[in-house]
Amino acid sequence: MRDAAAFYDRLARRADVRPDRIMLHGRSIGGAVAAELALAREPAALILESTFTSLESMFWRFGIPGFIVRDRFRTEDALKALDTPVLVMHGRRDNIIPVAHGRELGRIGAKTRYTEYDANHDLPPDWQDFERDLRAFVEPIISGFLPSESAVAVH
């Protein structure tokens, strides 16, 4: 988390960067880090790819009690507290983080868009679909229009 915050702060201080246009994109456990950072830095948008609802829930999946987790990374709680556009992408055949996590995250927040792919943990299965979905989410934000309603897409 300290590294992510330091990188964000360094980027935001650059003369050629508009801090109000910085978007965070995290994949797998990196999505949980990006969601936590979004709480502290208020990015223009947050993109989560193959991310879990909480680290505790992932530990329980493997029979490890969640209470022993020091850094819980509660992505679902972060999304509930954010007022920023969020894109959640997940593969329905994800063999590491079950698709139920992505679906749950996709239900949180008025500005959340959920896209599900016929893929495993290693998105994207089709770069054209992936790029199209990213562009559809990012371009309105860049142009100053913030999406105000949730959407779901399934490929």
Side-chain angles (χ1 to χ4, degrees):
M1 284 302 306
R2 285 189 299 271
D3 289 343
F7 179 79
Y8 181 98
D9 294 342
R10 184 175 181 185
L11 180 65
R13 285 192 303 269
R14 289 180 49 152
D16 60 337
V17 172
R18 287 186 53 186
D20 64 327
R21 292 293 185 237
I22 295 175
M23 297 181 200
L24 301 177
H25 182 173
R27 182 182 178 286
S28 197
I29 194 169
V33 172
E36 291 284 327
L37 183 60
L39 287 173
R41 298 299 190 271
E42 300 181 37
L46 174 63
I47 301 167
L48 303 177
E49 187 180 331
S50 304
T51 301
F52 47 75
T53 55
S54 73
L55 195 53
E56 287 175 286
S57 64
M58 285 300 297
F59 269 54
W60 277 112
R61 180 172 184 247
F62 296 103
I64 302 167
F67 65 82
I68 68 167
V69 180
R70 189 175 129 216
D71 295 315
R72 289 184 165 75
F73 287 114
R74 292 182 171 133
T75 310
E76 60 195 346
D77 291 347
L79 293 189
K80 290 174 187 173
L82 288 173
D83 184 32
T84 190
V86 178
L87 173 61
V88 177
M89 301 178 290
H90 215 100
R92 84 176 52 91
R93 293 182 288 109
D94 193 323
N95 56 338
I96 296 173
I97 300 173
V99 69
H101 287 255
R103 290 174 180 161
E104 180 61 28
L105 293 175
R107 286 191 278 272
I108 300 171
K111 297 179 183 176
T112 300
R113 181 177 297 177
Y114 178 72
T115 302
E116 188 171 298
Y117 298 94
D118 184 24
N120 59 27
H121 192 67
D122 300 317
L123 295 177
D126 182 316
W127 279 101
Q128 288 180 326
D129 284 345
F130 187 78
E131 183 178 337
R132 183 193 65 235
D133 294 339
L134 279 176
R135 282 184 182 273
F137 178 73
V138 168
E139 285 177 350
I141 297 165
I142 292 171
S143 68
F145 169 78
L146 296 179
S148 60
E149 61 184 51
S150 297
V152 174
V154 178
H155 297 284

